[in-house]
Amino acid sequence: MTTQAFSEVAQKFTRNGFVAVGELIAPEDLDHYRDIYDRFLDGDIAAGDKRSDLGSHVPCGTAPGRTSPRSCGRPRCTHRCGNSPAHTGAGPGPRADRRRRGAGLRHDDPQGSAHRGPHSWHQDAAYWIDLPDHRAVSIWVALDDAVPDNGCMWYVRGSHREPLRPHRPTSDGKNIACDCSEDEPGATCVPVRAGEAVAHAGTTLHGSRGNTTDGTRRAYILTYRPAAMIRLEREQGADHGLSDNVRQVRNSAAAEN
């Protein structure tokens, strides 16, 4: 990435709270990532109790040949991507800031299959305790072409500069959601091709429609936050899913009164 291109990406991230960052995985490497991804989803690589479903609040069936719905695996793994915005400075905070790395998988099966429901609108920071350092960036890397009807992400421009919205548990109690929709002023869908990525801040409103097409939509998520904030959370009892894999409102600013 050239200095000028980097500067433009950083400016867009700061202004909008999200930015498309282009290709992070080369076309010749995509099959390798997809193979590992599918092994997690098929159970060949065990995710244990770190496996969960962000769309579980939406009624859906079970894919043929499966005894339970196919859901999102959330392995606590580390991935080094030298071209990621958090390393090149497009994410909030100085380039040299040491960050905690985490990763997860996001999956939308084709219509009629197990997991295809929408992912509720929310802000990631609502899941976290109140922190003095709010810097955070998540990088959504598409392993398949992502468009509105198969689950590409939607973001609300400028929402990262506004207070957290009240969040509530989804109908199944396993996720959280806030009031927002594609009709929100500034709501923007960000289609990406396989191997490309989009980054968003921890307070940016985002969600997706789910998958109403006949194809699969796979994505790989990288999350970066300052290591000092991770240590602070752990000092206060958070273990970031190692034993407690419940997603709930933890930030008092996002709690409904």
PDB file of all heavy atoms in Angstrom, residues 3 11 22 36 38 44 63 73 108 130 146 151 164 169-171 177 183 225 252:
ATOM      1  N   THR A   3       1.944   5.273   0.428  1.00  0.00           N
ATOM      2  CA  THR A   3       1.690   6.227   1.494  1.00  0.00           C
ATOM      3  C   THR A   3       0.402   6.999   1.251  1.00  0.00           C
ATOM      4  O   THR A   3      -0.406   7.215   2.161  1.00  0.00           O
ATOM      5  CB  THR A   3       2.860   7.206   1.618  1.00  0.00           C
ATOM      6  OG1 THR A   3       4.057   6.468   1.905  1.00  0.00           O
ATOM      7  CG2 THR A   3       2.618   8.223   2.722  1.00  0.00           C
ATOM      8  N   GLN A  11      -8.094   8.114   6.510  1.00  0.00           N
ATOM      9  CA  GLN A  11      -9.031   9.232   6.586  1.00  0.00           C
ATOM     10  C   GLN A  11     -10.479   8.759   6.478  1.00  0.00           C
ATOM     11  O   GLN A  11     -11.361   9.247   7.198  1.00  0.00           O
ATOM     12  CB  GLN A  11      -8.717  10.243   5.485  1.00  0.00           C
ATOM     13  CG  GLN A  11      -7.428  11.019   5.697  1.00  0.00           C
ATOM     14  CD  GLN A  11      -7.083  11.902   4.523  1.00  0.00           C
ATOM     15  OE1 GLN A  11      -7.934  12.213   3.683  1.00  0.00           O
ATOM     16  NE2 GLN A  11      -5.827  12.320   4.432  1.00  0.00           N
ATOM     17  N   GLY A  22      -9.643  -3.310   0.488  1.00  0.00           N
ATOM     18  CA  GLY A  22      -9.117  -4.027  -0.667  1.00  0.00           C
ATOM     19  C   GLY A  22      -8.680  -5.440  -0.336  1.00  0.00           C
ATOM     20  O   GLY A  22      -9.096  -6.038   0.657  1.00  0.00           O
ATOM     21  N   ILE A  36      -9.655 -24.746   5.615  1.00  0.00           N
ATOM     22  CA  ILE A  36      -9.587 -24.689   7.083  1.00  0.00           C
ATOM     23  C   ILE A  36     -10.931 -24.265   7.650  1.00  0.00           C
ATOM     24  O   ILE A  36     -11.425 -24.835   8.636  1.00  0.00           O
ATOM     25  CB  ILE A  36      -8.476 -23.728   7.528  1.00  0.00           C
ATOM     26  CG1 ILE A  36      -7.104 -24.261   7.101  1.00  0.00           C
ATOM     27  CG2 ILE A  36      -8.510 -23.507   9.038  1.00  0.00           C
ATOM     28  CD1 ILE A  36      -5.971 -23.309   7.368  1.00  0.00           C
ATOM     29  N   ASP A  38     -13.971 -24.648   6.355  1.00  0.00           N
ATOM     30  CA  ASP A  38     -14.959 -25.716   6.258  1.00  0.00           C
ATOM     31  C   ASP A  38     -14.686 -26.840   7.242  1.00  0.00           C
ATOM     32  O   ASP A  38     -15.617 -27.494   7.731  1.00  0.00           O
ATOM     33  CB  ASP A  38     -15.000 -26.263   4.830  1.00  0.00           C
ATOM     34  CG  ASP A  38     -15.600 -25.272   3.842  1.00  0.00           C
ATOM     35  OD1 ASP A  38     -16.301 -24.340   4.289  1.00  0.00           O
ATOM     36  OD2 ASP A  38     -15.368 -25.425   2.624  1.00  0.00           O
ATOM     37  N   ASP A  44     -14.440 -31.241  11.756  1.00  0.00           N
ATOM     38  CA  ASP A  44     -13.152 -31.919  11.625  1.00  0.00           C
ATOM     39  C   ASP A  44     -12.120 -31.262  12.536  1.00  0.00           C
ATOM     40  O   ASP A  44     -11.231 -31.923  13.082  1.00  0.00           O
ATOM     41  CB  ASP A  44     -12.695 -31.864  10.164  1.00  0.00           C
ATOM     42  CG  ASP A  44     -11.411 -32.626   9.921  1.00  0.00           C
ATOM     43  OD1 ASP A  44     -11.257 -33.720  10.501  1.00  0.00           O
ATOM     44  OD2 ASP A  44     -10.564 -32.140   9.161  1.00  0.00           O
ATOM     45  N   ALA A  63     -29.562 -28.496   8.145  1.00  0.00           N
ATOM     46  CA  ALA A  63     -29.128 -28.916   6.821  1.00  0.00           C
ATOM     47  C   ALA A  63     -29.205 -30.425   6.695  1.00  0.00           C
ATOM     48  O   ALA A  63     -29.042 -31.156   7.661  1.00  0.00           O
ATOM     49  CB  ALA A  63     -27.693 -28.441   6.583  1.00  0.00           C
ATOM     50  N   GLY A  73     -18.330 -21.056  13.959  1.00  0.00           N
ATOM     51  CA  GLY A  73     -17.265 -21.466  14.850  1.00  0.00           C
ATOM     52  C   GLY A  73     -16.496 -20.239  15.287  1.00  0.00           C
ATOM     53  O   GLY A  73     -16.229 -19.356  14.491  1.00  0.00           O
ATOM     54  N   ASP A 108     -22.821 -17.888   6.426  1.00  0.00           N
ATOM     55  CA  ASP A 108     -24.230 -17.892   6.028  1.00  0.00           C
ATOM     56  C   ASP A 108     -24.430 -18.976   4.986  1.00  0.00           C
ATOM     57  O   ASP A 108     -23.923 -18.874   3.867  1.00  0.00           O
ATOM     58  CB  ASP A 108     -24.644 -16.538   5.453  1.00  0.00           C
ATOM     59  CG  ASP A 108     -24.903 -15.515   6.534  1.00  0.00           C
ATOM     60  OD1 ASP A 108     -25.682 -15.832   7.454  1.00  0.00           O
ATOM     61  OD2 ASP A 108     -24.333 -14.418   6.476  1.00  0.00           O
ATOM     62  N   ASP A 130     -17.033  -1.158  30.365  1.00  0.00           N
ATOM     63  CA  ASP A 130     -16.612   0.221  30.139  1.00  0.00           C
ATOM     64  C   ASP A 130     -15.087   0.280  30.175  1.00  0.00           C
ATOM     65  O   ASP A 130     -14.454  -0.218  31.112  1.00  0.00           O
ATOM     66  CB  ASP A 130     -17.172   1.137  31.230  1.00  0.00           C
ATOM     67  CG  ASP A 130     -18.688   1.138  31.260  1.00  0.00           C
ATOM     68  OD1 ASP A 130     -19.296   0.515  30.376  1.00  0.00           O
ATOM     69  OD2 ASP A 130     -19.254   1.749  32.173  1.00  0.00           O
ATOM     70  N   ALA A 146     -19.203 -11.295  -1.419  1.00  0.00           N
ATOM     71  CA  ALA A 146     -20.283 -10.927  -0.499  1.00  0.00           C
ATOM     72  C   ALA A 146     -21.057  -9.748  -1.074  1.00  0.00           C
ATOM     73  O   ALA A 146     -20.478  -8.711  -1.417  1.00  0.00           O
ATOM     74  CB  ALA A 146     -19.715 -10.563   0.872  1.00  0.00           C
ATOM     75  N   GLY A 151     -25.323 -11.643   2.489  1.00  0.00           N
ATOM     76  CA  GLY A 151     -24.813 -11.360   3.818  1.00  0.00           C
ATOM     77  C   GLY A 151     -23.632 -10.430   3.921  1.00  0.00           C
ATOM     78  O   GLY A 151     -22.917 -10.459   4.926  1.00  0.00           O
ATOM     79  N   LEU A 164     -23.161   5.062  22.552  1.00  0.00           N
ATOM     80  CA  LEU A 164     -23.678   3.713  22.346  1.00  0.00           C
ATOM     81  C   LEU A 164     -25.197   3.709  22.480  1.00  0.00           C
ATOM     82  O   LEU A 164     -25.756   4.400  23.338  1.00  0.00           O
ATOM     83  CB  LEU A 164     -23.091   2.743  23.376  1.00  0.00           C
ATOM     84  CG  LEU A 164     -21.632   2.336  23.199  1.00  0.00           C
ATOM     85  CD1 LEU A 164     -21.219   1.412  24.336  1.00  0.00           C
ATOM     86  CD2 LEU A 164     -21.421   1.643  21.857  1.00  0.00           C
ATOM     87  N   PRO A 169     -31.078  -8.300  24.773  1.00  0.00           N
ATOM     88  CA  PRO A 169     -30.877  -9.669  24.284  1.00  0.00           C
ATOM     89  C   PRO A 169     -31.803  -9.952  23.108  1.00  0.00           C
ATOM     90  O   PRO A 169     -32.920  -9.437  23.033  1.00  0.00           O
ATOM     91  CB  PRO A 169     -31.247 -10.539  25.492  1.00  0.00           C
ATOM     92  CG  PRO A 169     -31.163  -9.628  26.668  1.00  0.00           C
ATOM     93  CD  PRO A 169     -31.544  -8.266  26.161  1.00  0.00           C
ATOM     94  N   THR A 170     -31.346 -10.758  22.165  1.00  0.00           N
ATOM     95  CA  THR A 170     -32.218 -11.218  21.091  1.00  0.00           C
ATOM     96  C   THR A 170     -33.213 -12.220  21.663  1.00  0.00           C
ATOM     97  O   THR A 170     -33.132 -12.612  22.830  1.00  0.00           O
ATOM     98  CB  THR A 170     -31.396 -11.861  19.964  1.00  0.00           C
ATOM     99  OG1 THR A 170     -30.525 -12.862  20.525  1.00  0.00           O
ATOM    100  CG2 THR A 170     -30.551 -10.814  19.252  1.00  0.00           C
ATOM    101  N   SER A 171     -34.153 -12.647  20.848  1.00  0.00           N
ATOM    102  CA  SER A 171     -35.262 -13.464  21.348  1.00  0.00           C
ATOM    103  C   SER A 171     -34.807 -14.762  21.986  1.00  0.00           C
ATOM    104  O   SER A 171     -35.482 -15.302  22.856  1.00  0.00           O
ATOM    105  CB  SER A 171     -36.240 -13.766  20.205  1.00  0.00           C
ATOM    106  OG  SER A 171     -35.574 -14.443  19.140  1.00  0.00           O
ATOM    107  N   ALA A 177     -28.821  -6.978  20.432  1.00  0.00           N
ATOM    108  CA  ALA A 177     -29.237  -6.189  19.274  1.00  0.00           C
ATOM    109  C   ALA A 177     -29.653  -4.805  19.745  1.00  0.00           C
ATOM    110  O   ALA A 177     -29.972  -4.590  20.917  1.00  0.00           O
ATOM    111  CB  ALA A 177     -30.402  -6.869  18.560  1.00  0.00           C
ATOM    112  N   ASP A 183     -32.700   1.497   6.750  1.00  0.00           N
ATOM    113  CA  ASP A 183     -33.305   2.796   6.478  1.00  0.00           C
ATOM    114  C   ASP A 183     -32.686   3.908   7.313  1.00  0.00           C
ATOM    115  O   ASP A 183     -33.038   5.078   7.158  1.00  0.00           O
ATOM    116  CB  ASP A 183     -34.812   2.744   6.750  1.00  0.00           C
ATOM    117  CG  ASP A 183     -35.534   1.802   5.800  1.00  0.00           C
ATOM    118  OD1 ASP A 183     -35.107   1.705   4.635  1.00  0.00           O
ATOM    119  OD2 ASP A 183     -36.510   1.154   6.229  1.00  0.00           O
ATOM    120  N   ARG A 225      -7.616  -4.813  19.675  1.00  0.00           N
ATOM    121  CA  ARG A 225      -7.802  -3.805  20.717  1.00  0.00           C
ATOM    122  C   ARG A 225      -6.485  -3.657  21.468  1.00  0.00           C
ATOM    123  O   ARG A 225      -5.666  -4.570  21.481  1.00  0.00           O
ATOM    124  CB  ARG A 225      -8.918  -4.216  21.683  1.00  0.00           C
ATOM    125  CG  ARG A 225     -10.310  -3.956  21.141  1.00  0.00           C
ATOM    126  CD  ARG A 225     -11.348  -4.138  22.225  1.00  0.00           C
ATOM    127  NE  ARG A 225     -11.557  -5.539  22.547  1.00  0.00           N
ATOM    128  CZ  ARG A 225     -12.023  -5.969  23.719  1.00  0.00           C
ATOM    129  NH1 ARG A 225     -12.277  -5.110  24.682  1.00  0.00           N
ATOM    130  NH2 ARG A 225     -12.206  -7.246  23.934  1.00  0.00           N
ATOM    131  N   SER A 252     -22.101  -0.547  30.450  1.00  0.00           N
ATOM    132  CA  SER A 252     -23.248   0.100  31.084  1.00  0.00           C
ATOM    133  C   SER A 252     -23.858   1.194  30.209  1.00  0.00           C
ATOM    134  O   SER A 252     -25.058   1.479  30.310  1.00  0.00           O
ATOM    135  CB  SER A 252     -22.821   0.711  32.434  1.00  0.00           C
ATOM    136  OG  SER A 252     -21.822   1.699  32.232  1.00  0.00           O
TER     137      SER A 252
END
